[in-house]
Amino acid sequence: MVDLIGESVDCVVRGGELTDLSLVARRVGDLNLGVYAAPGYLKSAGLPLHPQELSLPPHYIVGFRWARSGLAFPYAMYRNGERVNVQGRYVISVDDGNAGLAAGLAGLGVIWLPDYMTREHVSRGELIRLFDDWHLDPMPMYVAFPPNRHVSAKLRVFIDWVADLMAQHAPIVDRQAHKR
């Protein structure tokens, strides 16, 4: 985490809902999330057919806690009007997507991650995507900066560049559409 004011940082790119309401933020995109597991994990625990199975033995998940708040990330999944909240049992909890990916690849449990982080691992057979017929809320992405910070031409160009990249690769989606 960066102290924008104390460290004189112009802006940050943050994922998830913003909790620091003192920042000025521009939503620039949404990352699609998926549920994944390593083949070795699935061989030992079995292939879950419904997300609720992940809360029961022998399954484990890799827990994720937001670094800012320490709160667990809520895993809510939707299909045809059905909503499932996966609490899960875990032996490891992380606060970084790369650490979650490493834990998932090591077979420590089922992981929820942005698709872009897992794409290569899926193509190499190191991870298997689960529950293709279920949807997850996408992770909102923001560019945030202090309210008293002058938005220079350089900063404006950077923010617009990030917004353009996200529009191409991770456009903002209608969250209600995922819940239907």
Side-chain angles (χ1 to χ4, degrees):
M1 289 301 298
V2 175
D3 174 5
L4 287 131
I5 296 171
E7 297 180 39
S8 295
V9 173
D10 290 328
C11 70
V12 293
V13 178
R14 290 208 172 140
E17 293 300 338
L18 292 179
T19 55
D20 186 346
L21 301 179
S22 69
L23 298 176
V24 174
R26 176 176 171 188
R27 187 166 175 183
V28 292
D30 286 327
L31 295 180
N32 289 319
L33 302 172
V35 184
Y36 302 90
Y41 169 84
L42 295 173
K43 185 177 180 182
S44 67
L47 179 67
L49 301 177
H50 192 280
Q52 288 177 328
E53 292 179 45
L54 298 178
S55 295
L56 304 170
H59 289 287
Y60 287 98
I61 66 169
V62 174
F64 187 89
R65 298 192 177 278
W66 291 111
R68 297 182 295 276
S69 66
L71 298 174
F73 184 81
Y75 297 119
M77 301 176 70
Y78 308 91
R79 179 180 69 181
N80 301 327
E82 179 183 5
R83 176 190 168 112
V84 173
N85 290 317
V86 179
Q87 298 300 317
R89 303 172 323 122
Y90 54 90
V91 293
I92 187 170
S93 177
V94 298
D95 66 359
D96 175 80
N98 291 314
L101 176 60
L105 288 168
L108 297 178
V110 174
I111 54 175
W112 279 255
L113 282 175
D115 294 338
Y116 82 90
M117 291 183 75
T118 59
R119 194 169 291 122
E120 287 184 32
H121 299 285
V122 169
S123 71
R124 290 194 299 251
E126 299 165 345
L127 288 174
I128 296 171
R129 186 178 177 115
L130 306 175
F131 313 118
D132 280 334
D133 56 337
W134 288 81
H135 301 282
L136 295 98
D137 281 337
M139 179 187 298
M141 298 297 295
Y142 297 90
V143 174
F145 51 92
N148 59 354
R149 184 69 40 98
H150 170 69
V151 180
S152 67
K154 288 180 183 179
L155 181 54
R156 175 66 51 213
V157 167
F158 175 77
I159 293 170
D160 290 344
W161 175 73
V162 170
D164 288 344
L165 282 176
M166 294 299 288
Q168 292 174 34
H169 301 288
I172 296 173
V173 298
D174 175 10
R175 289 185 180 192
Q176 294 306 312
H178 284 279
K179 297 177 183 180
R180 290 183 209 129

